[in-house]
Amino acid sequence: MEERKFTAVYLKRQANFSWLTGGEISYVNIATDMGGVGLLLTPEKAYAVSNNIEAVRMEKEADLPAQGYEIRSFPWHDERETAIVKELGGNHIAADYGFPGAMDVSAEIARLRYSLTSWEVDRITELARLSSQAAEETLQELKRGEKECQVIGRLSQKLWENRIDFVIAFCAADDRIASFRHPITTERRIENRAMLSVNTRKGGLIVSITRFAQLGKVPPGLRKQYKDNVYIDSVIMAATIPGRPAVEAFKAGIEAYKELGYSGEWELHHQGGSIGYMPRDYRVTWQTTEIVQENQAFTWNPSISGTKSEDTMLATSRGPVVLSEPVVYPVLQMEVGEYMFRRPDILEL
């Protein structure tokens, strides 16, 4: 506000709401990133603007007044949100979406979330561990002939035991793994192999992981390709260093593809990028100008047709820290330069 001379900033996206309130939830409809409550910040005061339906929970359960927010509510049948925000916010308002008459500063706000606090690091680390365990235990129970959607149902149950939901969940069977980079879950029955990918969320923070299971022995060609895929991922992680451009990690990954003989594969799917309160705050491309920040989370997801490697890491000045290491899965040790990574192998059942 000081730098841009705004009289107020109005934030309503769920990612920003959870970030500013320490993990509280403002969404009702899970199919949108917009929450049902807005946070209006002025140089002097902070307000939570809500209809009367959500205001009760914001006061009694989210306990926003204890965080310093004054709740301003209006009857649900009398849409006064815009008027309240303009009345309290003044004549030069910024917002994280297309609020009437406001300047959209969603990109600038997102950058303020990139570097996680020590408390956020603790939370995302625990989320990553629980998510890895849930996904791995789900695939440990894999049976020949069960549907992809049944696998997701079992995963969902395990996640919700710890109040973890997901914003993306894929289960792909057999040839669907190589056919589609985004294999939306179907009722296809699994014969020999399954891939499980999920973006989990708790308290607004999100992690992404992928795991594979094989019913029987993993074919030698698939084992080599999977190991190569994990190596590419680990190379990108090793190059994700605070203070350096994120595109340098992207370039390192492209070179690793070429080194191992998979030159064109990276063009078939994005390689991932920054994560935190969004599934990806930004996907890294040749045009990306963002600089990696200390304690910024990343999920890279390099893929080769039929395999993918995906875990959530933290960029630190001490080196990359993999948050979603295997919990009950077999471990694949991967050495890249001075770093040794513990990565999940394919589970044989």
Side-chain angles (χ1 to χ4, degrees), residues 225-246:
Q225 179 178 310
Y226 178 78
K227 187 174 181 180
D228 288 345
N229 205 151
V230 175
Y231 174 77
I232 294 168
D233 190 15
S234 300
V235 165
I236 303 174
M237 288 184 176
T240 308
I241 306 297
R244 297 183 184 176

Side-chain angles (χ1 to χ4, degrees), residues 232-233 235-236 247-271 284-286 300 302:
I232 294 168
D233 190 15
V235 165
I236 303 174
V247 72
E248 288 187 6
F250 176 74
K251 291 177 181 177
I254 304 306
E255 289 304 311
Y257 274 103
K258 294 178 181 177
E259 172 193 335
L260 297 175
Y262 304 100
S263 294
E265 288 285 340
W266 70 270
E267 298 185 64
L268 301 178
H269 191 242
H270 73 82
Q271 301 301 294
V284 181
T285 69
W286 297 113
W300 302 103

Side-chain angles (χ1 to χ4, degrees), residues 313-335:
M313 60 155 285
L314 197 70
T316 79
S317 53
R318 304 178 307 281
V321 177
V322 181
L323 302 178
S324 53
E325 288 187 333
V327 178
V328 298
Y329 248 42
V331 174
L332 188 60
Q333 297 283 358
M334 192 64 61
E335 185 175 3

Side-chain angles (χ1 to χ4, degrees), residues 114-115 238-249 282 289-296 298 313-319:
Y114 292 170
S115 180
T240 308
I241 306 297
R244 297 183 184 176
V247 72
E248 288 187 6
Y282 58 84
T289 59
E290 300 285 355
I291 302 298
V292 178
Q293 297 188 20
E294 183 75 19
N295 284 347
Q296 184 174 5
F298 282 82
M313 60 155 285
L314 197 70
T316 79
S317 53
R318 304 178 307 281

Side-chain angles (χ1 to χ4, degrees), residues 142-187:
L142 185 68
K143 297 291 188 294
R144 181 172 280 107
E146 75 173 327
K147 299 177 182 178
E148 294 171 345
C149 55
Q150 288 177 296
V151 175
I152 296 300
R154 191 163 63 248
L155 171 67
S156 181
Q157 180 181 357
K158 293 179 184 298
L159 292 172
W160 274 100
E161 288 175 1
N162 290 296
R163 209 304 177 198
I164 300 170
D165 61 13
F166 55 74
V167 293
I168 298 173
F170 298 144
C171 180
D174 303 291
D175 59 294
R176 293 192 73 237
I177 302 171
S179 297
F180 312 110
R181 278 334 201 247
H182 286 160
I184 302 300
T185 304
T186 70
E187 293 189 71

Side-chain angles (χ1 to χ4, degrees), residues 1-4 6 8-11 15-21 41 94-96 104-118 120 123 205 274-278 281-282 290-297:
M1 284 186 283
E2 183 177 342
E3 289 177 3
R4 303 286 295 276
F6 294 124
V9 177
Y10 190 51
L11 305 178
N16 293 328
F17 183 92
S18 290
W19 169 60
L20 280 181
T21 60
L41 310 174
D96 63 353
D104 189 334
V105 293
S106 51
E108 292 93 326
I109 295 297
R111 291 188 184 98
L112 301 179
R113 302 193 311 259
Y114 292 170
S115 180
L116 301 179
T117 66
S118 59
E120 287 172 314
R123 288 165 52 209
L205 287 166
S274 171
I275 196 171
Y277 287 91
M278 292 289 289
D281 274 307
Y282 58 84
E290 300 285 355
I291 302 298
V292 178
Q293 297 188 20
E294 183 75 19
N295 284 347
Q296 184 174 5

Side-chain angles (χ1 to χ4, degrees), residues 26 34 38 48 73 83 89 146 152 162 182 188 213 228 315 345 348:
S26 64
M34 298 300 295
S73 66
E146 75 173 327
I152 296 300
N162 290 296
H182 286 160
R188 169 77 176 271
D228 288 345
D345 205 343
E348 291 183 334

